[in-house]
Amino acid sequence: MKKEMSKTYNPKEVEDKTYAHWEEKGYFKPEVHPQGKPFTIVMPPPNITGQLHMGHAFDGTLQDVLTRYKRMDGYAALWLPGTDHASIATEVKVVDKLREEEGKTKKDIGRDAYMERAWDWALTYKTRITDQLKKLGASCDWSRERFTMDEGCSKAVNEAFVNLYNKGLIYKGSRIINWCPTCKTALSEAEVEYAEQQGHLWHIRYPLVNSEGYLTVATTRPETMLGDSGVAVHPDDKRYQHLVGKTVILPLLNKEIPIVADDYVDIDFGTGVVKMTPAHDPNDYEVGLRHNLEQIRVINDDATMNDLAGIYSGLDRYECRKAVVRDLEALGLLEKIEEHQHNVGGCYRCSTTVETMTSEQWFVNMKPLAKPALEAVRNRETEFIPDRFSKIYYNWMENIRDWCISRQLWWGHRIPAYYCDDCGEMIVAKETPISCPKCSGSHFTQEEDVLDTWFSSALWPFSTLGWPDDTQDLKKFYPTTVLVTGYDIIFFWVARMIFMGINEMGETPFKDVYIHGLVRDSQGRKMSKSLGNGIDPLELIETYSADALRFTIITGNSAGNDIRWQDEKVESSRNFLNKIWNAARFVLMNLDDDIMDKKDEALSHLENTDKWILSRMNTIVQEVNHNMSKYELGIAASKIYDFTWNEYCDWYIELVKPRLYGEEEKTKISAQYTLRVVLDTILRLLHPFTPFITEEINGYLPGTTVDIMVAQWPHFDESLDFPEDEKQVVFLMEAIRSIRNIRAEMDVPYSKKTQLFIISTNKSLIKLMEESLLYFEKMASVSTIKFITKKEIEENFVSAVLEDMELFINLDELVDKEKEIARLTHEESKLQKEIDRLNQKLSNKGFIDKAPEKVVDIEREKQRVYIETMDKVRERLAYYQK
């Protein structure tokens, strides 16, 4: 009994049901193709701080398309999902929740109680994100789902930390770092976002000791001068060479500090004299090390001034700045103040202006790790797609600084360093030591700090597969195939995964890095809460369907480029899905249940239109395979769209309708078979992009034996290559299109049939046209075809010229003369009014001079089009009024 499709497609009834079916069948596991070549994607783990946003939808759709495509192509495809504990971001959320709901701080409740609340948060949002990804249609292997703080990943973190420490690549020391006064933690350079800000440049006089005069320095942060331990000049600067080795008085604190010579100083910038604050500036820090300058930290963790700031102790950094400037001015030591545009670093999570300061932290020595990671990309062991993004990678890795990996937080992987309570000895170990190697003590306190979130994320491609254990998954699926991610975290994450993969596994963690852009609003702006222009993908799924959202994302995408979101595009995608549904419903209503059993009979009676669509389908299959292999997903989707809508639905289905309704059984069977084969191929090609509707329609196809999700991916078939038949049908389509255009121009209703007159000497084309009257009757409202000579052309004939053929139709047969004159006269009047209005507007000097050039050009183009249209209308009027 044939199942009948509903008149309209209802995604709400289909999507959840279909996804549950896939999960129940175990289709998301690579074991679907146990002998298949491995294909692996590890999901960039979403942070457990919120819910699915358009960035996740974009990223997830791209990954799912690739995974479904490879799964259908016989690969053991593993898309491994997971979430990230997001140390700083989650801590901020949990601390805020604790304050708002309980009126307490994390210190009020203690570390253990705080961690319970943090884990509750994590489990809630992990579940929420998973459910949302399922709504999108993500075909992840949820049985292998990971979390950066689960037991296995935590074991991997300790293993990697200890390995690096034992190699001398992790150390603890006091160095200059970035500090967020709000989050109260150290930040790596990658976690600082720089933005141009309007500020000031204060020029301050430092009096020379035992000499008349002073040196003038310029600074954007006067409050840091309280931590100055020297001033520097260039060794070749003749203005100051005689002063090197002497001292100046540090204003306000009235202490002597030395004048040093260092190549770091730019002779041509400002006065050529630079204040040195080694504890609060990374460049000053390096100069200070070279000249043994004291590191004087004057700013506390909360951005207030400490006791070393003298009378300014206790002031907020900005209040201190005002007081310092005021006091310098009173002493006559403030030379001038200039407006100054400069880059200011902010915390990537809370946007607070960061402080650079010396602090005892844990660091990774990056130079030895960066070198092989650079070579791996240069040697194309890992390739960026598009290649231009490798420049970002090179730039960061070539100029890399040691990575500050410790964070003054509670949520995260606690650093596996232990301090003996008896003698203070530090032991770095994977587990709590039993005995102190120095004093044999048995009581230890673990390091309070946790690791930077990106440390665990850097291990993601292999920790998720079971490392450090030698698991079967690790053997089969590492290195992974492709990483899909945005360009904004190339140095945050991609670079770190590459150098960690090489260091721990001996090879890069992925062959390809597919870089995508951002989803922006219709004006090209980045989506953000502050602008209120964010779009909730779950709302779009509710309104339009997951397939419509996915198809919109893909068709607007090209590697590395941002996409602009427009609701019109998702509406267009929904219309496309409805088009497919309606076409499939029509086809299935006209198929016999046993049509696939009649394959041989159908193939032996194929007509040129059947061969044309099969050949075009074959070409599209070949092109889509090429595009998919090059990660040109947007191009592939657009080609499937065009073929489905234009060639299959608008042309082939219409061309074969007479055969479906006719009495000749042989030609009917070949038409049915071809309709079924092409529809099936379209559904398979579309499945990675629009999985739900394709699976639903597939269930209705007669002869279907497998779910489309695990059906075989289409490939080029030489037996379906019919170039001559393609040429013939393309010619017929052009002829039909020409007749339609003439009828449209003359506003002739479809119900009015016309004779088609043809002049041609090409025998094969004449034969083709003679055999194709059925198509012209159906698609161009032609009643008969008559071949004529040039002598038989009448004055009222309208022509269209094709290669080796002229087509004519008789206007007098089609047009009611009096009605056409009335219509054209009315059209002439309307056009004249528009032309007069535009002539007046474009002769107005005020408009021409004041309006933007683009606006003027638009009006001129309108004028040109109206004049051309008027000429055609008057030409037709003249013909009918003869």
Side-chain angles (χ1 to χ4, degrees), residues 246-429:
K246 296 184 178 181
T247 57
V248 292
I249 295 292
L250 177 61
L252 305 180
L253 295 183
N254 295 315
K255 70 177 184 180
E256 290 187 35
I257 56 175
I259 303 168
V260 301
D262 197 278
D263 291 336
Y264 160 71
V265 180
D266 184 350
I267 293 177
D268 299 321
F269 182 77
T271 62
V273 182
V274 182
K275 63 188 280 300
M276 289 289 109
T277 320
H280 291 288
D281 183 276
N283 295 311
D284 295 1
Y285 175 82
E286 298 297 334
V287 175
L289 291 178
R290 290 195 287 270
H291 297 280
N292 201 30
L293 298 179
E294 187 180 1
Q295 295 176 13
I296 307 167
R297 177 175 161 175
V298 294
I299 301 177
N300 294 317
D301 289 351
D302 62 356
T304 60
M305 309 307 292
N306 63 25
D307 291 343
L308 295 177
I311 63 171
Y312 306 100
S313 175
L315 291 178
D316 169 77
R317 55 181 166 171
Y318 297 121
E319 290 300 318
C320 178
R321 178 179 298 178
K322 293 175 185 176
V324 164
V325 171
R326 183 179 63 244
D327 292 347
L328 286 170
E329 194 167 23
L331 293 169
L333 296 177
L334 186 63
E335 189 169 289
K336 63 178 177 178
I337 305 173
E338 294 179 321
E339 294 291 321
H340 182 65
Q341 191 87 4
H342 64 133
N343 262 333
V344 177
C347 173
Y348 82 117
R349 280 300 171 193
C350 68
S351 300
T352 301
T353 299
V354 301
E355 282 292 337
T356 47
M357 57 176 66
T358 50
S359 177
E360 189 172 46
Q361 302 286 342
W362 290 85
F363 297 88
V364 175
N365 178 6
M366 285 307 307
K367 294 292 183 185
L369 293 169
K371 185 179 178 182
L374 275 165
E375 290 174 357
V377 176
R378 288 197 178 106
N379 296 337
R380 297 194 173 276
E381 293 168 42
T382 290
E383 296 187 57
F384 282 83
I385 300 158
D387 182 62
R388 69 178 186 271
F389 287 100
S390 61
K391 294 174 184 176
I392 296 174
Y393 175 84
Y394 293 143
N395 183 58
W396 194 70
M397 294 292 274
E398 287 167 354
N399 298 284
I400 201 163
R401 295 178 178 177
D402 284 359
W403 176 15
C404 176
I405 55 172
S406 49
R407 298 290 180 270
Q408 288 62 54
L409 306 166
W410 285 356
W411 175 245
H413 293 100
R414 205 162 168 182
I415 290 174
Y418 303 85
Y419 301 93
C420 176
D421 294 343
D422 297 323
C423 70
E425 178 75 359
M426 184 185 78
I427 303 111
V428 171

Side-chain angles (χ1 to χ4, degrees), residues 61 89 143 150 172 215 298 316 352 368 389 466 480 533 544 577 583 614 619 630 668 674 739 804 822:
T61 298
S143 70
D150 66 27
K172 188 177 186 181
L215 294 179
V298 294
D316 169 77
T352 301
F389 287 100
T480 67
N533 63 345
Y544 297 102
L577 298 177
L614 290 169
T619 299
K630 298 291 184 182
K668 181 178 180 180
T674 304
I739 299 167
D804 285 345

Side-chain angles (χ1 to χ4, degrees), residues 60-125:
T61 298
L62 294 170
Q63 292 172 78
D64 195 42
V65 167
L66 290 170
T67 305
R68 287 179 181 272
Y69 155 59
K70 286 295 186 177
R71 184 184 292 118
M72 292 177 74
D73 206 22
Y75 284 74
L78 170 62
W79 181 19
L80 199 152
T83 44
D84 194 295
H85 67 283
S87 191
I88 294 178
T90 302
E91 181 129 333
V92 168
K93 296 280 189 182
V94 176
V95 167
D96 286 348
K97 188 172 186 281
L98 187 62
R99 184 186 67 252
E100 292 165 6
E101 295 183 1
E102 301 181 44
K104 294 179 180 179
T105 68
K106 65 179 188 178
K107 289 183 180 178
D108 291 336
I109 64 171
R111 189 165 193 150
D112 290 344
Y114 169 80
M115 289 298 287
E116 287 181 13
R117 286 162 173 78
W119 272 106
D120 286 344
W121 175 282
L123 293 172
T124 297
Y125 280 91

